[in-house]
Amino acid sequence: MTLEELNESCKKCDKCRLRKGATQVVPGAGSEHAEIMFIGEGPGETEDKQGLPFVGAAGRFLNELLKSINLNREDVYIANMVKCRPPGNRDPQEDEIQACKGWLNQQIKVIQPKIFVPLGRFAMYKFLKGTSISKEHGKIYSRSGKVYFVMYHPAVALYNGAMRPILLEDIKKLRLFLDGKLDAQSLNDTVSKIISEKETLKKEQNKNQGNKDSSQFKMTI
Ligand code: SF4
């Protein structure tokens, strides 16, 4: 199946409640041969109207970020965790992400990107569960020939101008990596470190309060 065929099928989806409130399904945009895939949360108002991802104010900042490292939208693929706009731009809910994940997984299968750039915590959780974006942003990990580079969602810079330089600084690391000037950390090492940190925390919590910490760090694809 080509990416176009896949996205045409996606446009007909009405598997979850989000379709009801959306003008249209927004599968994604960019090159079928992209080596880098950016993954956001879900379409906003402008994206819902135009049928394209990241074309509103956050999208303009994403364009600026790409340009700052000599990339443009045609070089990459841009998709979202959920393909229909959550009402009022609320966060996507877990059952909606689960309902929609098959489309993203199929896009990944067709495009086979080498580098994944989750934008924001919802997209980060697809790859790195059990950790926080404030800890992981700007870091590059590798696992099984794939690379993961975590970034804040560009929309955060719209609400908080102090985040702009952080995102601009973070994305420079992606350029350094593309130029072979920065190595990716092994995700396996990171997984072990986070699991060990969580186990220590869990022991301390159990000791102090008798509570259990059920969170886990998981690699999900
Ligand atoms: S959000 Fe995803 S699963 Fe839900 S209707 Fe839209 S395309 Fe289908």
Side-chain angles (χ1 to χ4, degrees):
M1 189 186 279
T2 66
L3 185 61
E4 199 183 335
E5 288 165 346
L6 174 63
N7 286 348
E8 283 308 311
S9 304
C10 179
K11 286 179 188 173
K12 295 178 196 134
C13 178
D14 60 357
K15 223 160 82 182
C16 81
R17 69 179 87 85
L18 290 182
R19 181 65 189 91
K20 249 187 185 170
T23 308
Q24 57 192 317
V25 180
V26 184
S31 166
E32 180 163 357
H33 308 290
E35 296 206 331
I36 309 174
M37 187 175 203
F38 285 76
I39 304 170
E41 291 176 12
E45 190 179 6
T46 317
E47 290 77 14
D48 176 67
K49 277 188 189 137
Q50 294 190 25
L52 291 166
F54 283 90
V55 285
R60 284 195 291 281
F61 185 43
L62 178 61
N63 294 347
E64 193 183 323
L65 289 164
L66 291 172
K67 205 173 158 199
S68 74
I69 58 163
N70 297 320
L71 288 176
N72 61 54
R73 292 172 71 105
E74 290 70 41
D75 297 322
V76 303
Y77 197 81
I78 303 173
N80 278 307
M81 295 294 290
V82 294
K83 314 295 190 189
C84 298
R85 182 192 180 205
N89 289 352
R90 67 158 167 76
D91 291 340
Q93 293 173 0
E94 186 53 32
D95 62 328
E96 295 158 354
I97 291 172
Q98 288 305 318
C100 207
K101 73 175 184 187
W103 292 117
L104 181 59
N105 287 343
Q106 287 187 77
Q107 288 175 321
I108 290 171
K109 225 177 197 174
V110 173
I111 299 167
Q112 304 225 344
K114 292 193 175 73
I115 303 174
F116 294 89
V117 186
L119 299 168
R121 63 195 167 102
F122 287 98
M124 184 191 76
Y125 292 157
K126 178 168 178 61
F127 306 106
L128 305 171
K129 278 192 179 159
T131 183
S132 72
I133 191 147
S134 58
K135 200 170 166 190
E136 301 306 322
H137 73 96
K139 292 184 185 168
I140 299 189
Y141 298 120
S142 70
R143 191 189 198 193
S144 310
K146 302 283 185 203
V147 169
Y148 305 88
F149 176 59
V150 179
M151 285 189 71
Y152 282 113
H153 194 287
V156 299
L158 307 179
Y159 307 116
N160 178 0
M163 296 302 289
R164 273 181 70 86
I166 295 173
L167 273 100
L168 282 160
E169 199 53 39
D170 278 355
I171 205 164
K172 281 185 194 165
K173 289 176 198 146
L174 181 59
R175 171 44 67 198
L176 288 174
F177 177 79
L178 294 172
D179 292 343
K181 293 177 183 164
L182 188 71
D183 288 332
Q185 298 175 47
S186 161
L187 190 55
N188 292 331
D189 292 349
T190 307
V191 170
S192 309
K193 189 167 170 279
I194 292 175
I195 287 174
S196 125
E197 282 173 3
K198 283 189 176 292
E199 279 172 354
T200 308
L201 184 69
K202 192 175 166 183
K203 276 179 198 160
E204 279 171 14
Q205 281 176 337
N206 284 344
K207 203 167 136 193
N208 295 337
Q209 302 161 8
N211 288 339
K212 286 186 179 175
D213 177 4
S214 62
S215 62
Q216 289 180 330
F217 185 103
K218 285 181 189 161
M219 187 78 192
T220 53
I221 71 162

